[in-house]
Amino acid sequence: MPQSGDELPSLTADMVRQWAAAGLRALERHRAEINGLNVYPVPDADTGTNLHLTFGAAVAELDACLDERPGAGPGDAVRALARGAQLGARGNSGAIIAQLLRGAAEVLAPADDDAGFDAARLGRALRRAADRGYEAVAAPVEGTVLSVVSAAADAAEEALRGAPAGSASGRGRTITTVLAAIEGAERALLRTPEQLDVLGRAGVVDAGGRGLTVLLGALAETVVGRAFDARAFEARAALASTTAVPAAGCETPRPAPDAPSPGYEVVYLLDAADAAVAALRVRLAALGDSLVVVGGDGLWTVHLHTDEPGAAVEAGVETGRPHRIRIEHFGATAAAAGEAGTVPAHADGHRPREGRTVLALADGPGLADVLSGAGATVLTGEADARRATRTVLDSGAAEAVLLPGGPGRWEAFLAAAAELEEAGVHARVVPSESPVQSLAALAVHEPARALDEDAAAMSEAAAATGCAALLPAGDGTVRGVLGPDTAAEPVVTAPDAETAGCLLLDRLLSDGGELLTLLPGADAPLGLAAALRRHAEELRPDTETVILPGGHPATLLTIGLE
């Protein structure tokens, strides 16, 4: 909670962490609502999910930073947020939010920063975020999140100009500035249907802009020190507007496209010299639209909608080193359902079944959030064939891919698949014996493929992911095992988790790897994942390491290597 007093700084490192956690919870609460608003640039109903995943990656990076360095300042916290968002950016909206955070970090995180942020710095940070957002988008469009963040910066600057003299560092001035920024953002959000025809025809506000107001609301909650409720403002604004924000879960009319849209979304990280990126922007702009290139200091995130995904990746190869490449086909689920013809009805016998769901079992709350954010339907607790079957039937899907995510669950999921087939739902089980293998399988899931092809690709990704784990031993030591079986004989034993983890990584990374994933358990020591990431980067600089929330109750750390 904010400290009391009129002359105290606004945001410390701990308060940045509070805001980040509140923002992630708020994005989760509003995810369905934001997905329902998503009609631009592609009506694929995933903006809320992409924002939640992107900010979740930012929060995981922040937590790792502050756990590793308890005395870190607010500048370090903001830098960690920006880095995590860039590394985990999903979709157009996620890439833009990552760039907004990066812009804010340029103001809030100078190298010598060790103090809190006052109102003036927050105002400058919003302006820099807006400027960087416009710079990152190849063809900026008004009526989007860019308009909303720009309006927030305008309102903050106006509030600062109107503040009483002598209140330059007062907490009251900071509160006034933050509240002005969110009100300016919400007014701009309600104007987006007037600025962008596709939003006006659908009767919705911009999805990315709505996500930004959710994050600003969480910031207001942190600074003011109590839950922030913007509904009173929304009610007043709605009286003067023909467009109001739909309630969560509402179905939104989809506008007919004005012209054929590109068929693929291409996203990748790129290691490249900053000077080479201008030419890359020009080349990619000729291949499609919705181009966003964010980053700097040698690391960039590239996002593009195109009909030539191969050429988009090739452009990255010729500029630097692309990695973590994701290529997704738009409208795949709808197309697959349309080609399938008549499908089985729901359990209630009414609405026909359609689409494909991925059912994944999660052992911890953090992992459950990650799997859900990646699009899976999540089960928690013990593997149970009846619960798995009922969950899929309740989803209304015509097809299902089942991810056990742990050893000893194969038979239960095979039984569930058999029950689903009897109920008219086609089901396949992917042999994922670890949560990191489930994550790898989800990363290549593509509903545009036939069910068997999709399951085969997911199985191949799971099989290509090595896994290991750190577990407490009965004598107070920590043991490390290779493979999915946590009851296997340990390959390393050490007096503490960090030592055991480093020895385990030495073995796991002996032949290299592209992506190392660390999932801390519920009882993992503070800073463990961050210390092991540092060891991995020293050992294998070419291997990228990501830390994701896990929460397994009995495992200190789960490790995956692709």
Side-chain angles (χ1 to χ4, degrees):
M1 301 292 288
Q3 295 171 296
S4 60
D6 290 335
E7 300 300 326
L8 293 173
S10 170
L11 288 178
T12 62
D14 191 51
M15 289 176 65
V16 172
R17 193 176 205 172
Q18 290 178 35
W19 165 63
L24 186 60
R25 290 193 300 269
L27 286 173
E28 171 62 24
R29 288 195 305 270
H30 292 279
R31 180 167 54 181
E33 172 199 337
I34 297 171
N35 281 342
L37 298 171
N38 180 196
V39 299
Y40 179 85
V42 175
D44 50 355
D46 66 354
T47 295
T49 298
N50 287 338
L51 287 173
H52 183 253
L53 286 172
T54 301
F55 207 68
V59 171
E61 184 76 16
L62 170 63
D63 286 343
C65 169
L66 297 186
D67 288 347
E68 179 185 8
R69 300 172 54 198
D76 298 307
V78 175
R79 274 192 294 267
L81 270 178
R83 172 181 166 80
Q86 183 183 354
L87 292 175
R90 295 290 293 263
N92 182 285
S93 54
I96 293 175
I97 287 293
Q99 184 72 344
L100 299 186
L101 286 170
R102 181 180 177 86
E106 292 175 0
V107 172
L108 299 178
D112 59 351
D113 179 69
D114 61 357
F117 307 137
D118 62 12
R121 287 185 70 188
L122 287 171
R124 293 197 303 272
L126 276 171
R127 174 57 60 199
R128 183 68 62 83
D131 291 344
R132 289 290 184 251
Y134 275 95
E135 291 170 5
V137 178
V141 175
E142 296 304 316
T144 64
V145 63
L146 299 178
S147 306
V148 176
V149 70
S150 182
D154 290 343
E157 290 170 348
E158 181 65 27
L160 287 166
R161 285 193 293 269
S167 62
S169 63
R171 178 171 169 261
R173 190 184 189 209
T174 299
I175 292 175
T176 299
T177 302
V178 171
L179 294 180
I182 187 173
E183 183 160 328
E186 288 177 328
R187 290 187 185 279
L189 178 68
L190 290 166
R191 290 195 298 269
T192 56
E194 304 167 13
Q195 298 172 295
L196 196 54
D197 287 345
V198 67
L199 300 179
R201 292 198 302 272
V204 298
V205 296
D206 179 66
R210 175 58 177 146
L212 180 64
T213 65
V214 167
L215 289 175
L216 288 175
L219 177 61
E221 174 184 331
T222 304
V223 172
V224 175
R226 57 177 171 78
F228 181 78
D229 188 351
R231 284 176 294 186
F233 169 76
E234 290 174 353
R236 293 195 303 272
L239 293 176
S241 173
T242 58
T243 303
V245 177
C250 287
E251 292 295 328
T252 300
R254 298 293 179 195
D258 295 323
S261 299
Y264 295 89
E265 178 181 58
V266 178
V267 183
Y268 53 82
L269 290 176
L270 180 69
D271 296 330
D274 293 5
V277 172
L280 175 66
R281 290 180 192 268
V282 173
R283 184 169 176 183
L284 291 174
L287 295 176
D289 58 31
S290 297
L291 173 61
V292 182
V293 181
V294 306
D297 301 322
L299 178 64
W300 301 84
T301 298
V302 174
H303 172 279
L304 179 69
H305 294 171
T306 180
D307 286 322
E308 303 178 69
V313 175
E314 182 181 350
V317 171
E318 295 180 2
T319 304
R321 185 181 77 91
H323 48 111
R324 293 185 67 180
I325 300 167
R326 293 197 308 272
I327 300 175
E328 297 185 7
H329 184 265
F330 290 124
T333 301
E339 294 171 0
T342 303
V343 291
H346 278 261
D348 60 14
H350 297 296
R351 188 157 53 93
R353 293 189 170 278
E354 58 184 5
R356 183 179 306 157
T357 190
V358 177
L359 182 75
L361 188 63
D363 292 309
L367 177 63
D369 287 343
V370 172
L371 291 169
S372 176
T377 299
V378 178
L379 273 181
T380 57
E382 297 296 323
D384 181 274
R386 182 166 297 180
R387 280 202 311 132
T389 301
R390 176 49 54 190
T391 302
V392 172
L393 291 177
D394 288 346
S395 75
E399 298 176 337
V401 178
L402 311 182
L403 297 174
R409 301 169 178 173
W410 181 253
E411 291 185 359
F413 274 62
L414 282 178
E419 291 180 18
L420 288 169
E421 289 285 346
E422 290 182 6
V425 176
H426 301 303
R428 302 291 183 270
V429 183
V430 167
S432 62
E433 295 189 294
S434 168
V436 290
Q437 291 181 336
S438 291
L439 290 170
L442 264 175
V444 301
H445 167 54
E446 177 51 79
R449 291 188 289 240
L451 174 62
D452 285 335
E453 293 178 4
D454 195 28
M458 295 172 75
S459 297
E460 182 178 348
T465 302
C467 50
L470 292 178
L471 303 111
D475 58 359
T477 62
V478 175
R479 58 189 182 89
V481 299
L482 290 175
D485 185 4
T486 57
E489 286 296 317
V491 294
V492 300
T493 302
D496 60 85
E498 184 175 337
T499 302
C502 289
L503 293 172
L504 193 58
L505 288 181
D506 290 343
R507 297 187 60 137
L508 196 63
L509 292 170
S510 60
D511 294 325
E514 180 178 341
L515 177 64
L516 182 71
T517 302
L518 305 177
L519 300 176
D523 296 324
L526 288 179
L528 173 63
L532 294 187
R533 178 173 63 184
R534 187 169 59 250
H535 180 76
E537 289 172 347
E538 293 173 354
L539 188 65
R540 290 284 182 177
D542 56 338
T543 298
E544 184 179 353
T545 304
V546 296
I547 301 171
L548 297 174
H552 193 287
T555 304
L556 298 178
L557 188 78
T558 302
I559 304 171
L561 181 65
E562 298 179 42

